[in-house]
Amino acid sequence: MATTTMTVRMDADVKHDAEVLCKEMGMTLSTAFNIFAKAMIRKRGIPFAVTGNPSLYDEPNRSHLRAAMDELNAGHGVEHALVDKG
């Protein structure tokens, strides 16, 4: 089996965290990417669901946001100080 090199660009923190996790599982990040690639080939697609956060846009949430905006526009809002979490 011939091997080849692949270059992937990613956030340095993501790479570090992934390497730490892989090490905990007894493998390298390269091994993890090979597992992913083989699963992708087997499934003929991404081997896990790739979705957005549907709950953000679902009707119950939109209804709640509309009601909150109506309450705010009616002058019943409460002002809160911003909290800096940075």
Side-chain angles (χ1 to χ4, degrees):
M1 173 178 74
T3 62
T4 188
T5 301
M6 181 175 84
T7 302
V8 177
R9 294 193 183 278
M10 69 174 61
D11 181 88
D13 291 336
V14 171
K15 180 183 180 221
H16 174 265
D17 292 348
E19 286 174 327
V20 168
L21 180 59
C22 286
K23 187 174 181 180
E24 289 174 6
M25 294 188 292
M27 70 175 102
T28 65
L29 190 53
S30 179
T31 299
F33 274 100
N34 274 291
I35 291 169
F36 169 77
K38 289 176 182 180
M40 190 170 71
I41 293 165
R42 222 178 14 259
K43 293 218 172 224
R44 305 289 305 149
I46 303 294
F48 47 82
V50 179
T51 63
N53 183 353
S55 64
L56 180 62
Y57 303 107
D58 65 10
E59 183 51 38
N61 193 48
R62 290 192 339 229
S63 177
H64 176 77
L65 292 172
R66 280 193 297 272
M69 288 300 298
D70 290 344
E71 187 175 330
L72 181 64
N73 290 332
H76 302 294
V78 176
E79 186 174 335
H80 296 276
L82 293 177
V83 177
D84 183 10
K85 294 188 179 200

